[in-house]
Each structure stands twice: as structure tokens, then as C-alpha cells.
Amino acid sequence: MVNYIWVAMTIIGIVFALINGNMEAVNKAVFDGAKEAVTLCIGLISVLVFWLGMMRIAEESGLLKKLTKLFRPLIKTLFPDVPSSHPAMGYILSNMISNMFGLGNAATPLGIKAMEELKKLNDGKNEASRSMITFLAINTASITIIPTTVIAIRINYHSASPTEIVVPTIIATILSAIGAVMIDRYFYYRRSRKG
């Protein structure tokens, strides 16, 4: 559906530019946008490679396993329907830790695998389970300690202090995660009272 919206917006924009005689401006914007996108991607690659390398070092050194053990009681409380030894737990924890380090690109495949495993626990039903809804809420409002992508963008655009957003990001994401869990629990208990 989103693809159709983008195509429609593009076609409407081009037709509108043709009618108003602004095709030269459209062409300039297309080429300037492409150039800026390439520059931005190259700037992001360096930061993402650095942090993905740090994640690899953390994994090889056993730090991720220690973080997993540290967060396991919290995760078990948030996902009581998921057995401790189930692969979904590992994917959920890895996704959350990747999000904490601002590695959304690394967290996405882990989140997809977690959802696949949670769907297996839900007997493959098309209706989302309690754990799937909770995971989606937490993943969407994930706590971020180091917003690497945003820092990379700020560095790319020559910010005077690209890391000044770290503390506000931590506060905002902790509050959003708490809010997401509270809303998730509220609707779960409301639904269970009705049923």
C-alpha cells in the first residue's frame, strides 16, 4: 500500500511540475537529493561499521551473554508466556540490546526472527499473541543508550556537539518504553477481564 502512495505522490508531483513549468526544478531536486543520499549513506556506514564491530567484540568477549543474563529476569517478567529456553528469548534479548546501542539496522533482522519464533509459540495463528504485542510495543519504544545513527547524521552535517543528544535520548526512550509497557499491560488486563 505504501508503494502505491509513493508512486501516486511522485506522479502527482511530476504532473504538477509539468503544468506549472517547473520540471527544471524537479530535475535539480532529484539529482541534489541523490547526491545528498549517497553522502549521507557513506557517513552512516562508518559509524555503523564501528558500532557493529563493537557489538561483535562484545559478543566474542562474552559481554552480550552477560547482558543477556542480566536482563533475563526482566524479560521473563515481560514475556511470561515464553519458555526461558525457547529461541524467541534469545532473539528478543539480542534485539533489545542492539536497540540499546542504537543499531536499528542490526536489530531489525533479530526482531523479525523473534516475531517468527513467537508466531510458532502461538501455533502459527494470524492473531497476535500477548507476547507478540508486548514485543512490538517494547521494540517500537526501545530504550536507546547510544543513538549511533542520529549521532552519525549530526556528524555528517557538522554539528558542533553531535553527542549532546545522548542524555535526552536515554530519558525519552526510557519514558517511552515504560509508557509502552504500561499501555500494553492496561489493554491486556482490560481484555482478560472482558473474556
Side-chain angles (χ1 to χ4, degrees):
M1 182 66 182
V2 173
N3 292 340
Y4 295 125
I5 293 170
W6 280 112
V7 169
M9 287 173 57
T10 303
I11 291 170
I12 290 167
I14 290 171
V15 169
F16 191 76
L18 278 170
I19 292 169
N20 290 320
N22 290 334
M23 274 311 286
E24 188 177 321
V26 170
N27 286 335
K28 185 178 181 322
V30 167
F31 289 112
D32 288 349
K35 180 182 171 188
E36 194 168 318
V38 170
T39 305
L40 181 63
C41 286
I42 290 170
L44 286 174
I45 286 170
S46 60
V47 175
L48 287 174
V49 165
F50 172 76
W51 283 107
L52 287 170
M54 293 298 282
M55 282 291 283
R56 183 73 176 171
I57 291 168
E59 184 181 353
E60 293 291 326
S61 68
L63 180 62
L64 283 183
K65 283 187 180 179
K66 288 177 183 171
L67 285 171
T68 301
K69 284 180 185 174
L70 178 71
F71 289 111
R72 192 170 289 277
L74 172 67
I75 300 305
K76 192 63 193 146
T77 304
L78 291 170
F79 300 94
D81 302 342
V82 180
S84 296
S85 58
H86 197 275
M89 276 298 214
Y91 288 121
I92 290 168
L93 284 162
S94 298
N95 172 272
M96 290 177 73
I97 291 167
S98 295
N99 276 326
M100 281 184 181
F101 289 105
L103 301 171
N105 294 338
T108 300
L110 297 168
I112 291 169
K113 289 297 288 179
M115 277 298 192
E116 287 172 358
E117 294 296 329
L118 290 171
K119 187 170 183 174
K120 287 178 191 173
L121 278 175
N122 197 26
D123 298 323
K125 295 176 188 168
N126 287 331
E127 184 180 312
S129 68
R130 172 188 181 184
S131 296
M132 291 168 86
I133 294 168
T134 302
F135 178 66
L136 182 64
I138 290 171
N139 188 44
T140 303
S142 61
I143 295 172
T144 304
I145 297 170
I146 305 167
T148 53
T149 306
V150 179
I151 291 171
I153 291 168
R154 289 172 60 90
I155 289 170
N156 194 46
Y157 285 101
H158 311 292
S159 170
S161 181
T163 57
E164 71 184 354
I165 58 158
V166 172
V167 173
T169 300
I170 293 170
I171 294 167
T173 56
I174 287 173
L175 293 175
S176 68
I178 291 169
V181 170
M182 289 173 64
I183 291 168
D184 171 60
R185 288 299 185 250
Y186 168 75
F187 281 107
Y188 170 73
Y189 290 121
R190 194 175 105 170
R191 192 171 52 245
S192 25
R193 278 195 207 120
K194 286 182 180 178

